[in-house]
Amino acid sequence: MHHVAGWWDGFELWVAGLPFIPQFAVVLVGAVPVSFLIACLLDRGLRIVLRLLGRDRSAAETDLAAADAASEIEPDGATLAPPEPALAGASMHTPGPMSKEAI
């Protein structure tokens, strides 16, 4: 373990002694793959745990599809009014439609 710690200390000193741009490049080349690997491992582990708990996405999608297929109630199109556009209708100060001069 002391050998690894000594190597790591030497590597840190080498990186710290580099100018900014090469230092940035070395850290980027090392940090991006390691971060990607950690994210993939966490994602896979979380999927396994959620699947074991029955809370994964595929189970939720099949439950929603089954609920949609089982429900026979559909909203009546005549009772739902389309939304009114935001600027249609009254101005800020007077009731009723906007005057031609205001446009």
Side-chain angles (χ1 to χ4, degrees):
M1 190 66 178
H2 292 291
H3 181 66
V4 173
W7 174 83
W8 184 253
D9 287 341
F11 180 75
E12 282 180 326
L13 288 173
W14 174 73
V15 171
L18 291 174
F20 176 73
I21 298 297
Q23 189 179 64
F24 177 75
V26 168
V27 170
L28 193 66
V29 166
V32 169
V34 170
S35 299
F36 185 75
L37 179 66
I38 290 170
C40 287
L41 291 175
L42 285 173
D43 182 54
R44 184 166 298 189
L46 189 59
R47 277 189 199 177
I48 291 169
V49 169
L50 290 176
R51 188 172 295 135
L52 289 173
L53 294 174
R55 302 207 28 133
D56 61 339
R57 183 179 296 155
S58 62
E61 287 173 357
T62 56
D63 290 345
L64 285 176
D68 286 342
S71 72
E72 295 291 326
I73 302 171
E74 293 184 16
D76 185 14
T79 60
L80 297 176
E84 186 175 326
L87 295 177
S91 71
M92 237 170 96
H93 304 288
T94 60
M98 287 180 114
S99 65
K100 292 275 187 195
E101 297 106 23
I103 298 176

